[in-house]
Amino acid sequence: RNVEKLIQDDDDDDDVGDDEEKRERRASNVSKLVQKAVVEELVNLLEPSRKPYTMKRGKPNVILFVGLQGSGKTTSIAKYANYY
């Protein structure tokens, strides 16, 4: 969105008189804008936007457990399997 406009403005300003400092500032601005857009999209993905999944007892449920080694995935899976 904003990145496209900034890049378009950058293309429009590519006159023969541009100095290196202006180019570096524009590149830095584009970099910051891309970083901000990525962060916003990741936040949107992680924010709960709908009702969480409710597991059903006695029926198959598919759940993905993710974590580092030793973080208790297997223990948690065993507890869930025992309960549901």
Side-chain angles (χ1 to χ4, degrees):
R1 299 161 258 200
N2 294 335
V3 176
E4 292 172 357
K5 180 166 179 20
L6 190 57
I7 291 171
Q8 180 63 38
D9 290 345
D10 186 37
D11 290 342
D12 293 343
D13 293 340
D14 278 345
D15 295 334
V16 176
D18 272 347
D19 63 345
E20 190 65 27
E21 186 178 318
K22 284 184 181 179
R23 287 188 189 138
E24 287 177 12
R25 266 192 311 217
R26 274 189 248 137
S28 175
N29 288 342
V30 169
S31 176
K32 288 178 184 176
L33 202 53
V34 168
Q35 182 180 6
K36 183 179 177 186
V38 169
V39 168
E40 287 175 0
E41 288 302 316
L42 288 173
V43 168
N44 286 339
L45 284 173
L46 296 175
E47 285 182 345
S49 58
R50 59 181 168 171
K51 188 174 144 187
Y53 176 74
T54 318
M55 292 184 42
K56 296 158 188 72
R57 279 191 131 167
K59 296 193 175 193
N61 294 280
V62 179
I63 299 174
L64 174 65
F65 284 80
V66 180
L68 299 174
Q69 296 174 348
S71 63
K73 295 178 300 295
T74 304
T75 303
S76 297
I77 291 168
K79 289 178 180 180
Y80 272 83
N82 185 46
Y83 186 79
Y84 291 100

